[in-house]
Amino acid sequence: MDNRGIDNGHELDWDGIIENDGEFIILPPDDYDFVVKGMERTRFNGSEKMPACNQVTVDIAIDYNGQEVIIKHKLFLHSKVEGLLSAFFRGIGQKKKGEPLRMNWPSVPGSTGRCKIGTRTYNGNEYNDIKKFYPKDDAPQKPNFNAGQF
């Protein structure tokens, strides 16, 4: 398993001091900039909808009012969802539209992009959910005032 970039925390003593209340923040549905903080490679055992396959869980970090919100986003390495893999890699700027890409997982942590966040409900609880990754190669270019263009 690849745990690079993931903060696995530390063990607490029996009489240790705790202070983090661990409040779960539900983001308002909107577009947000993100950083991939880490990733973990695992194996998906399969379900009615998806055969067994390799799986990567990426930790998508969003700065919301000065607080870091982490969304764990699962990517299945299967041809049935190849379009979702392409959308992720276009979103972090590794893939160009219409061009093949050899997935470069070691370069994923630290990547940045922009995504649309919504919510989903599971077992009566509400969770942050990534609805869309915006392709970096389609992003409008900001004017570069330092280059003499106005």
Side-chain angles (χ1 to χ4, degrees):
M1 290 188 202
D2 188 346
N3 289 323
R4 282 179 274 169
I6 295 177
D7 178 8
N8 289 323
H10 60 276
E11 183 177 12
L12 297 170
D13 292 327
W14 287 107
D15 59 351
I17 297 171
I18 58 172
E19 57 185 299
N20 184 349
D21 292 327
E23 294 181 35
F24 187 75
I25 298 171
I26 298 293
L27 297 170
D30 203 349
D31 296 338
Y32 295 90
D33 293 328
F34 69 86
V35 176
V36 180
K37 287 292 237 187
M39 57 177 253
E40 180 182 14
R41 297 177 189 216
T42 57
R43 182 86 181 149
F44 178 66
N45 291 327
S47 68
E48 289 181 19
K49 296 181 181 180
M50 177 69 66
C53 61
N54 290 325
Q55 171 183 286
V56 173
T57 302
V58 289
D59 295 330
I60 303 293
I62 294 171
D63 181 344
Y64 180 68
N65 294 334
Q67 286 192 285
E68 183 178 77
V69 176
I70 301 285
I71 300 172
K72 294 200 173 282
H73 185 71
K74 295 179 188 293
L75 296 165
F76 299 99
L77 278 64
H78 195 279
S79 60
K80 283 180 70 171
V81 291
E82 190 173 340
L84 297 174
L85 284 167
S86 286
F88 172 73
F89 278 101
R90 283 190 69 204
I92 62 172
Q94 282 195 31
K95 185 175 185 322
K96 302 287 184 213
K97 185 175 183 175
E99 294 181 10
L101 171 78
R102 180 174 305 278
M103 295 179 287
N104 184 354
W105 294 106
S107 70
V108 168
S111 296
T112 61
R114 191 156 177 84
C115 63
K116 177 177 279 308
I117 300 292
T119 58
R120 67 177 165 81
T121 303
Y122 181 74
N123 286 340
N125 295 313
E126 196 172 31
Y127 297 94
N128 294 312
D129 190 39
I130 296 175
K131 301 295 185 186
K132 176 181 183 174
F133 289 101
Y134 292 104
K136 272 197 174 181
D137 57 353
D138 285 351
Q141 297 298 312
K142 294 178 183 175
N144 184 351
F145 294 109
N146 293 330
Q149 300 171 338
F150 294 96

